[in-house]
């Protein structure tokens, strides 16, 4: 069986798109694998964009609490903060010395960021080397990621192969497992839900704030009586992802028959979210109230992660001749 590894950047509290598209599938894969998995919070990658200590820390806890609220099992998976495993940065340096500068310059995500951000630091540029180190230091086989991360995974495979060729077999070449992007979660404006678009649904807020986000979902302006196409409605698109098959069928029928207003559809979606995620929201709020529980789990996870990281780093150092 394969060793699964994935990381999520802590640039805020994960939204419904992150949860459904990345967190739940990764936890499922980890639980189904009979090898230890590695699920971590990429808080050193976040430092490329966030320079405020409190924000960095708050985001890390909110991200960790989200994973735990969705039943990540810290016994089954190694669950840790990237910054608690210093071996990763040492490996990132070695890898940098084996990867052509010209290839890094071609990274789409760097070019994107360089066009949109004010703070274009060298960390943003060498980001893929830190990510490669994250993966290679645990001998990971399968890395579930979104399509936007595919190029980073190709660089990881490339740098591992270059190192192996020049210095002798050292790294396992990992494979990306791309999440199906055609089923992305839509935001309140009907486009792909994304922090940068301000169209997210954040479930870890109080009921009133959650309702306000649902009410903001853009709809057409058809009267209550008019028949509506459910698949052309941003409210229904979200409902379809989270409700049961029978409930989806019933609501679809009500759309096509007429008599269902968008206001009522939003109320139905709101109740569905509240009911479906009641347990997860409760757990999230409890963990955010008692951060020590989260801290202890992360420290424990890092201890386990470091044992493996040190093994691989020893192999690398020996092959470099240090
Ligand atoms: P954002 O676009 O909000 O900045 P990220 O790019 O940080 O989100 O994505 C983190 C993870 O969540 C990635 O694995 C990505 O594929 C997944 N993800 C983000 N938005 C969505 C979405 N709308 N639907 C499904 N998955 C998503
Ligand atoms: N760059 C990834 C993202 O933005 C996060 C990440 C960092 C990661 N290190 C990783 C993902 C290692 C998978 C494996 O989504």
């Amino acid at each position: 069986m394969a060793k699964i590894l994935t990381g999520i950047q802590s640039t805020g509290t994960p939204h419904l798109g992150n949860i459904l598209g990345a967190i739940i599938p990764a936890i499922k894969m980890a639980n189904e694998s009979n090898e230890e998995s590695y699920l971590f919070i990429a808080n050193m990658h976040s430092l490329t964009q966030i320079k405020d200590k409190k924000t960095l820390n708050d985001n890390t806890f909110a991200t960790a609490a989200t994973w735990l609220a969705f039943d990540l099992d810290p016994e089954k998976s190694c669950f840790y903060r990237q910054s608690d495993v210093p071996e990763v940065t040492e490996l990132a340096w070695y890898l940098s010395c084996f990867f052509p500068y010209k290839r890094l310059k071609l990274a789409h995500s760097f070019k994107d960021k360089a066009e949109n951000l004010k703070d274009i630091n060298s960390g943003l540029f060498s980001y893929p080397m830190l990510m490669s180190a994250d993966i290679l230091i645990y001998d990971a086989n399968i890395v579930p990621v979104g399509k936007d991360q595919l190029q980073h995974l190709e660089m990881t495979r490339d740098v591992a192969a270059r190192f192996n060729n020049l210095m002798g077999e050292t790294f396992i070449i990992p494979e990306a497992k791309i999440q199906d992007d055609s089923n992305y979660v839509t935001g309140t404006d009907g486009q792909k839900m994304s922090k940068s678009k301000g169209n997210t649904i954040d479930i870890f807020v109080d009921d009133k704030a959650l309702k306000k986000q649902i009410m903001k979902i853009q709809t057409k302006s058809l009267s209550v009586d008019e028949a509506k196409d459910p698949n052309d409605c941003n409210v229904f698109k979200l409902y379809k992802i989270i409700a049961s098959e029978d409930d989806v069928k019933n609501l679809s029928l009500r759309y096509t028959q007429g008599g269902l207003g968008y206001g009522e559809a939003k109320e139905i979606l709101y109740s569905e979210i509240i009911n479906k995620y009641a347990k997860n929201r409760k757990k999230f709020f409890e963990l955010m109230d008692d951060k020590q529980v989260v801290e202890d789990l992360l420290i424990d996870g890092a201890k386990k992660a470091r044992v493996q990281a040190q093994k691989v780093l020893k192999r690398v150092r020996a092959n470099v001749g240090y």
Side-chain angles (χ1 to χ4, degrees):
M1 266 304 274
K3 239 192 217 182
I4 316 277
L5 173 144
T6 198
I8 191 160
Q9 264 200 81
S10 45
T11 43
T13 304
H15 53 70
L16 198 54
N18 301 141
I19 293 169
L20 294 169
I23 294 177
I24 293 177
I27 292 175
K28 188 164 177 273
M29 279 181 79
N31 287 346
E32 284 169 0
S33 167
N34 54 14
E35 277 212 51
E36 189 161 59
S37 304
Y38 294 78
L39 303 175
F40 70 96
I41 298 153
N43 62 337
M44 291 209 289
H45 278 116
S46 310
L47 187 60
T48 59
Q49 289 185 47
I50 302 173
K51 300 292 189 290
D52 177 70
K53 194 155 82 176
K54 184 173 181 311
T55 311
L56 268 173
N57 224 349
D58 288 351
N59 287 347
T60 299
F61 277 110
T63 307
T66 304
W67 282 97
L68 293 167
F70 277 88
D71 298 330
L72 173 145
D73 177 359
E75 291 292 317
K76 193 139 193 358
S77 306
C78 215
F79 177 55
Y80 58 97
R81 238 176 333 219
Q82 188 184 31
S83 61
D84 289 332
V85 185
E87 287 78 6
V88 168
T89 44
E90 183 176 337
L91 179 58
W93 175 255
Y94 298 135
L95 298 177
S96 300
C97 298
F98 286 80
F99 200 69
Y101 160 78
K102 279 193 177 156
R103 282 283 316 277
L104 270 186
K105 254 177 63 178
L106 297 176
H108 306 307
S109 93
F110 175 70
K111 285 202 267 184
D112 259 16
K113 285 172 186 161
E115 274 168 27
N116 295 311
L117 299 176
K118 274 201 210 107
D119 173 17
I120 310 168
N121 54 69
S122 324
L124 274 180
F125 185 70
S126 49
Y127 185 113
M129 293 296 102
L130 183 59
M131 180 159 163
S132 301
D134 282 332
I135 299 168
L136 299 175
I137 206 155
Y138 301 106
D139 284 337
N141 307 103
I142 306 273
V143 185
V145 281
K147 208 162 105 196
D148 59 321
Q149 297 298 313
L150 189 56
Q151 196 186 32
H152 289 157
L153 254 295
E154 277 162 9
M155 292 184 183
T156 304
R157 292 164 57 85
D158 188 1
V159 74
R162 283 171 193 266
F163 190 100
N164 285 353
N165 268 338
L166 288 169
M167 314 308 278
E169 278 307 306
T170 311
F171 296 119
I172 304 266
I173 312 284
E175 269 175 48
K177 167 99 176 51
I178 301 298
Q179 280 132 24
D180 182 359
D181 209 36
S182 55
N183 296 328
Y184 65 78
V185 180
T186 49
T188 53
D189 57 358
Q191 294 185 61
K192 179 175 173 181
M193 189 181 290
S194 172
K195 250 178 321 250
S196 58
K197 293 200 197 106
N199 64 355
T200 58
I201 296 201
D202 297 301
I203 61 166
F204 298 127
V205 292
D206 64 38
D207 293 4
K208 206 171 142 205
L210 177 54
K211 188 155 194 176
K212 210 168 143 193
Q213 300 172 62
I214 308 278
M215 292 301 156
K216 229 180 73 184
I217 298 175
Q218 291 171 19
T219 56
K220 295 197 155 171
S221 44
L222 295 174
S223 70
V224 172
D225 292 339
E226 279 175 277
K228 302 171 182 69
D229 176 1
N231 294 312
D232 191 24
C233 174
N234 295 330
V235 181
F236 188 80
K237 280 182 195 159
L238 280 166
Y239 188 77
K240 201 170 158 183
I241 301 175
I242 54 181
S244 72
E245 221 175 291
D246 280 351
D247 287 346
V248 171
K249 248 191 226 155
N250 289 337
L251 190 66
S252 168
L253 210 65
R254 291 200 58 202
Y255 266 83
T256 48
Q257 281 171 342
L260 174 82
Y262 290 118
E264 189 187 346
K266 287 177 182 176
E267 291 284 352
I268 293 171
L269 174 63
Y270 170 70
S271 304
E272 180 65 29
I273 291 180
I274 290 279
N275 289 332
K276 176 141 183 169
Y277 299 120
K279 208 180 88 216
N280 312 93
R281 290 174 77 222
K282 183 165 174 275
K283 193 160 169 195
F284 177 88
F285 294 129
E286 280 168 8
L287 289 167
M288 289 305 274
D289 271 347
D290 190 359
K291 295 206 179 82
Q292 196 57 45
V293 174
V294 180
E295 178 68 24
D296 291 347
L297 283 172
L298 290 171
I299 295 287
D300 238 37
K303 270 191 209 145
K304 278 198 284 175
R306 288 190 74 183
V307 173
Q308 175 65 22
Q310 280 161 7
K311 272 192 212 156
V312 176
L313 197 57
K314 203 168 155 196
R315 223 153 67 200
V316 177
R317 283 176 147 262
N319 286 353
V320 172
Y322 292 161

